[in-house]
Amino acid sequence: MWRNCSQRNGFGIATPLKIPVNWSRVLRLQGATRINPEEVLKAAEAGNLEEFIRLYEADNNRLSVKDSKGRTAAHQAAARNRVNILTFIHGQGGNLNAQDMVGNTPLHTAVENDSLDALEFLLKIPVVTNSLNEKKLAPVHLATEQNKVNALQVMGKYRQVIDIQQGGEHGRTALHLAAIYDNEECARILISEFGACPRKPCNNGYYPIHEAAKNASSKTMEVFFQWGESKGCTREEMISFYDSEGNVPLHSAVHGGDIKAVELCLKSGAKISTQQHDLSTPVHLAAAQGAIEIVKLMFLMQPLEKRISLNCTDIQKMTPLHCAAMFDHPEIVEYLVKEGADINAMDKEKRSPLLLSSSRGGWRTVMTLIRLGANISLKDANSRNVLHLVIMNGGCLDEFAKEVCRTQSEIYLLQLLNEKDDAGCSPLHYASREGHIRSLENLIRLGACINLKNNNNESPLHFAARYGRYNTVRQLLDSEKGTFIINESDGEGMTPLHIASHQGHTRVVQLLLNRGALLHRDHNGRNPLHLAAMSGYTQTIELLHSNTALHLATMENKPNAVVLLLSLGCKLLHNYMDMSAIDYAIYYKYPEAALAMATHEERSSEVMALKSDKHPCVTLALIASMPRVFEAVQDNCITKANCKKDSKSFYIRYSFSCLQCPALYAQMDARTGEAVQISKPIPLPALNLEEISPIA
């Protein structure tokens, strides 16, 4: 408590009286009114020392009271520059190093609020100066980051209590922060008054001069150059400092993208051909960023270095032209080519700028390079040409083809169509795999071969089936040679139907079945139904299993199995495509299976009477597609008596039932070609009989 003793005693006390903590409860008035702790904070903020003392005397624990943000009375006093409050708190042994919820001490708060008197008082004590807040900033870092020049000057008076080389986030010193934010005056103060050294790297290996260059802090860079010169270090030496990644400041300046910082580095002696650890030059970086003005500036200021830089390759053997092409910067690509860059240079993967831009989807650059005369016949390390890469990466084949034909020659384009890569795949394989319908159409239109096989003996249809490309499968089947590739097998004996079934692509399976895919077995004896079952695709299983055993035996052309199944009473059902077993025998032209059904001893008449949407009746279909089978059917219609020919009981009976259509579907409509329903059997039109009136 503060006391003013009587004047008659001859002396007075103007200093605070320190009261022991264990005495506070003894001296406190028991009947005192309860006081809100926040009043202490308000008194500290207002600088009302008398009120603050009164509240403290009531309960000296109130010095540690905090608001909702964790700030104590010391924080409030420091924020409002209340030195009298801070003096009293210090005199009472209060904590002047307490941290609020974001880690700020009263010293942080004094810096942030430009409370210079409070700042000087705290440094004079001194308080702890190296506490880091949540942002990893010590008070000197905070002053530098926020460009608090006056606060930094005050702190400079007490530099002996401040670790100026202390690192914050990523080990950055205050000088790093001055460089990042281009706080020129702060950088001067840190160097001149604190003795900060620009040769101190952060945890990432960057010097302050690199941070200045990277963040385009040209004013701070000049401060560093002046410091170097005062220490006998030339600008050329300063500009050649390597960081942990082998970057010189010019690399960092190009990263920052500030042309003034780049110009400053160049004027200070930086070479545009200087390579970092990955062997890339500043020209590589500028080209990759699309900074054409920076590239032009570098070539303008150092014309003798231009040719070296254009041909210089990084660790991937890429030139600056590769970098510009990779990131689709057509303006820089054109500029570099005009300046003498090799348009067909190959990188480590044997990619020219054209192949590289195609693989990265840089279509503007692709068109530019074609127009500039890039060689389109080159292949990369996987033997892929530019057409492979355009298709694989979703490019517009139509525009590509037009540009090649317009600026070079259609002959060059046609040479690319059926070229195979190391896997044996043509561009059409990749168009089928990716499901690029427009590219597929254009490739077929230009003359790409649809039945070309890769190293695994797979056609583009196999690829489309594997990846479930329904529209692609349909497009391939609709092509001129679609019927020839539908049942082709790969190296494992698997047809597109096998593959689609194995992957569970139900729509593709149904499409293939509708177009006539056969249920063959692969080299391991598995049919599509087996593969669908192995993978657990129930919808595909249901689709394939709608065929009866008789369907499957017919599709495999197994006549003995057909006879047995019929004899065992297997029903003559239609599957989901409304096709019976005899329909498949006729469709696939399997005479053995057809003969087994049409001449079966017990069920031949049932087979011949089957109706179908595919043909008017079984008889006409057999006459048209398998006449030899129908001859056997006719032979089966002749019945001889079981006795000798000279016996009076001998006879030969001829049945012409096979020459009649069933009650329905008796004849074809001449206009539409569809079956016409009638109510009674009539002779077949195949007999060429005129209708004859009965003789009276």
Side-chain angles (χ1 to χ4, degrees):
M1 62 178 66
W2 289 73
R3 299 292 188 189
N4 287 323
C5 296
S6 174
Q7 294 297 322
R8 63 174 179 265
N9 293 334
F11 66 94
I13 299 176
T15 57
L17 179 62
K18 188 174 294 186
I19 301 174
V21 175
N22 58 341
W23 279 75
S24 61
R25 291 183 177 84
V26 177
L27 297 177
R28 191 181 306 140
L29 295 177
Q30 297 298 323
T33 306
R34 185 175 180 83
I35 300 173
N36 187 345
E38 291 187 4
E39 293 183 15
V40 177
L41 301 177
K42 292 180 180 178
E45 185 178 2
N48 190 338
L49 181 60
E50 183 177 352
E51 176 68 9
F52 190 80
I53 293 173
R54 184 184 71 80
L55 295 170
Y56 172 75
E57 289 177 345
D59 184 358
N60 59 16
N61 286 327
R62 291 195 176 109
L63 289 183
S64 59
V65 169
K66 296 183 178 182
D67 64 8
S68 60
K69 296 183 179 180
R71 295 174 296 193
T72 64
H75 286 90
Q76 304 289 17
R80 298 291 185 234
N81 206 25
R82 309 302 186 189
V83 178
N84 58 342
I85 301 295
L86 291 172
T87 303
F88 179 79
I89 294 173
H90 177 57
Q92 300 304 316
N95 185 4
L96 293 177
N97 296 310
Q99 291 181 295
D100 62 14
M101 293 181 68
V102 295
N104 286 329
T105 65
L107 190 59
H108 284 90
T109 306
V111 168
E112 194 170 20
N113 291 277
D114 281 321
S115 301
L116 302 184
D117 296 334
L119 177 62
E120 188 162 7
F121 172 78
L122 292 170
L123 291 171
K124 190 183 295 184
I125 291 174
V127 295
V128 175
T129 61
N130 61 356
S131 292
L132 299 178
N133 62 14
E134 283 188 350
K135 295 182 178 180
K136 304 299 181 184
L137 296 174
V140 69
H141 298 137
L142 186 64
T144 305
E145 182 182 272
Q146 297 188 2
N147 202 23
K148 303 288 186 180
V149 175
N150 294 331
L152 208 55
Q153 288 174 334
V154 171
M155 299 176 80
K157 299 177 185 178
Y158 302 91
R159 57 181 175 273
Q160 68 276 6
V161 298
I162 297 174
D163 180 8
I164 197 60
Q165 298 296 80
Q166 180 186 4
E169 186 177 23
H170 304 304
R172 292 180 180 135
T173 65
L175 201 56
H176 283 88
L177 296 175
I180 290 172
Y181 295 101
D182 201 18
N183 294 334
E184 172 192 10
E185 194 59 34
C186 288
R188 291 187 188 279
I189 294 171
L190 290 170
I191 292 174
S192 61
E193 297 188 22
F194 286 85
C197 179
R199 293 298 302 270
K200 164 80 173 174
C202 68
N203 293 346
N204 294 327
Y206 302 140
Y207 292 106
I209 193 171
H210 290 90
E211 296 286 10
K214 184 166 61 176
N215 291 279
S217 303
S218 54
K219 293 181 292 184
T220 308
M221 282 189 66
E222 184 60 34
V223 172
F224 294 149
F225 286 140
Q226 292 173 4
W227 171 84
E229 289 172 340
S230 69
K231 299 294 182 180
C233 182
T234 65
R235 292 191 173 218
E236 287 77 9
E237 291 174 329
M238 289 283 291
I239 207 68
S240 300
F241 286 167
Y242 282 96
D243 63 15
S244 61
E245 296 181 356
N247 291 313
V248 296
L250 181 56
H251 286 96
S252 300
V254 173
H255 271 303
D258 188 334
I259 196 167
K260 291 183 179 178
V262 173
E263 185 176 6
L264 180 59
C265 289
L266 294 174
K267 286 181 178 179
S268 301
K271 298 293 185 183
I272 64 174
S273 59
T274 303
Q275 293 177 294
Q276 57 183 13
H277 288 173
D278 66 357
L279 304 183
S280 64
T281 67
V283 180
H284 282 86
L285 301 181
Q289 291 179 323
I292 188 169
E293 295 303 323
I294 291 179
V295 174
K296 289 180 177 179
L297 176 66
M298 289 192 286
F299 286 173
L300 177 65
M301 294 186 67
Q302 296 186 7
L304 297 180
E305 296 288 317
K306 179 178 73 173
R307 173 59 58 184
I308 299 173
S309 300
L310 285 173
N311 295 321
C312 193
T313 59
D314 62 15
I315 199 167
Q316 297 296 326
K317 298 298 181 184
M318 291 187 184
T319 65
L321 183 59
H322 281 94
C323 294
M326 180 166 57
F327 293 102
D328 197 21
H329 299 306
E331 292 182 359
I332 295 187
V333 165
E334 187 162 1
Y335 175 73
L336 293 174
V337 171
K338 289 180 179 179
E339 291 296 314
D342 183 0
I343 196 171
N344 294 316
M346 306 290 273
D347 68 4
K348 193 174 182 179
E349 302 295 327
K350 296 183 64 177
R351 296 173 298 189
S352 67
L354 177 61
L355 293 173
L356 184 58
S357 58
S358 300
S359 67
R360 293 301 185 95
W363 309 125
R364 295 181 303 161
T365 298
V366 169
M367 297 303 174
T368 299
L369 288 167
I370 291 173
R371 176 170 52 82
L372 294 173
N375 187 347
I376 67 171
S377 64
L378 296 177
K379 296 181 180 180
D380 65 13
N382 296 312
S383 298
R384 289 174 182 152
N385 61 38
V386 64
L387 190 55
H388 282 100
L389 299 174
V390 168
I391 296 298
M392 291 172 69
N393 294 281
C396 181
L397 177 57
D398 190 36
E399 294 180 7
F400 172 82
K402 288 179 180 177
E403 189 66 23
V404 171
C405 294
R406 186 179 68 84
T407 61
Q408 297 192 17
S409 171
E410 185 178 1
I411 297 175
Y412 297 151
L413 177 65
L414 297 178
Q415 290 173 348
L416 304 178
L417 287 178
N418 296 314
E419 285 188 347
K420 293 183 177 183
D421 62 12
D422 284 346
C425 294
S426 68
L428 193 62
H429 279 89
Y430 292 116
S432 301
R433 185 185 73 179
E434 303 300 331
H436 296 153
I437 298 298
R438 292 290 301 277
S439 296
L440 193 76
E441 291 176 351
N442 288 321
L443 286 170
I444 294 174
R445 177 178 55 81
L446 289 169
C449 182
I450 69 168
N451 59 346
L452 210 60
K453 300 291 188 70
N454 67 6
N455 295 348
N456 294 324
N457 210 36
E458 296 170 309
S459 70
L461 185 59
H462 286 92
F463 273 41
R466 172 170 287 107
Y467 294 98
R469 308 297 186 187
Y470 177 85
N471 291 324
T472 303
V473 171
R474 186 173 60 184
Q475 185 78 22
L476 290 168
L477 293 177
D478 287 342
S479 65
E480 185 179 350
K481 295 184 179 179
T483 55
F484 298 102
I485 62 174
I486 190 169
N487 290 311
E488 285 189 342
S489 59
D490 62 13
E492 297 181 358
M494 297 176 69
T495 66
L497 182 59
H498 282 93
I499 294 173
S501 301
H502 196 203
Q503 300 298 325
H505 301 308
T506 307
R507 293 182 66 217
V508 175
V509 169
Q510 185 163 0
L511 175 62
L512 290 168
L513 288 172
N514 289 343
R515 294 300 183 91
L518 302 178
L519 294 174
H520 289 319
R521 294 180 181 272
D522 63 13
H523 294 338
N524 295 313
R526 302 169 301 184
N527 62 32
L529 182 58
H530 293 142
L531 295 172
M534 288 168 59
S535 300
Y537 293 114
T538 56
Q539 291 184 346
T540 306
I541 293 170
E542 291 175 0
L543 183 64
L544 292 167
H545 199 257
S546 64
N547 292 310
T548 65
L550 187 59
H551 282 90
L552 299 175
T554 304
M555 290 176 184
E556 297 291 339
N557 196 23
K558 304 295 184 181
N560 294 334
V562 169
V563 172
L564 178 60
L565 288 169
L566 288 173
S567 300
L568 292 175
C570 182
K571 294 183 179 180
L572 295 170
L573 301 177
H574 290 74
N575 64 7
Y576 75 100
M577 296 170 60
D578 203 27
M579 290 183 69
S580 65
I582 189 64
D583 290 332
Y584 278 109
I586 294 169
Y587 181 80
Y588 293 136
K589 293 184 172 58
Y590 288 160
E592 296 86 355
L595 182 63
M597 283 185 281
T599 61
H600 192 271
E601 291 183 1
E602 300 169 0
R603 305 185 65 182
S604 59
S605 59
E606 186 181 351
V607 170
M608 297 300 293
L610 286 171
K611 65 177 184 178
S612 174
D613 291 335
K614 309 299 180 183
H615 40 74
C617 65
V618 174
T619 300
L620 282 180
L622 290 176
I623 292 173
S625 60
M626 288 182 280
R628 291 297 182 90
V629 173
F630 188 69
E631 286 181 13
V633 173
Q634 288 181 307
D635 291 341
N636 210 35
C637 292
I638 302 174
T639 306
K640 295 182 181 181
N642 190 18
C643 60
K644 294 182 179 181
K645 290 184 180 181
D646 56 358
S647 173
K648 292 183 179 181
S649 301
F650 179 79
Y651 64 88
I652 298 177
R653 182 179 296 121
Y654 295 91
S655 174
F656 297 100
S657 59
C658 63
L659 298 176
Q660 293 180 333
C661 278
L664 302 179
Y665 302 91
Q667 61 184 27
M668 304 288 289
D669 186 285
R671 182 175 59 84
T672 64
E674 296 180 353
V676 177
Q677 296 184 4
I678 62 170
S679 58
K680 62 180 181 179
I682 64 170
L684 290 173
L687 296 178
N688 297 319
L689 295 176
E690 296 289 339
E691 185 175 351
I692 302 173
S693 300
I695 299 175

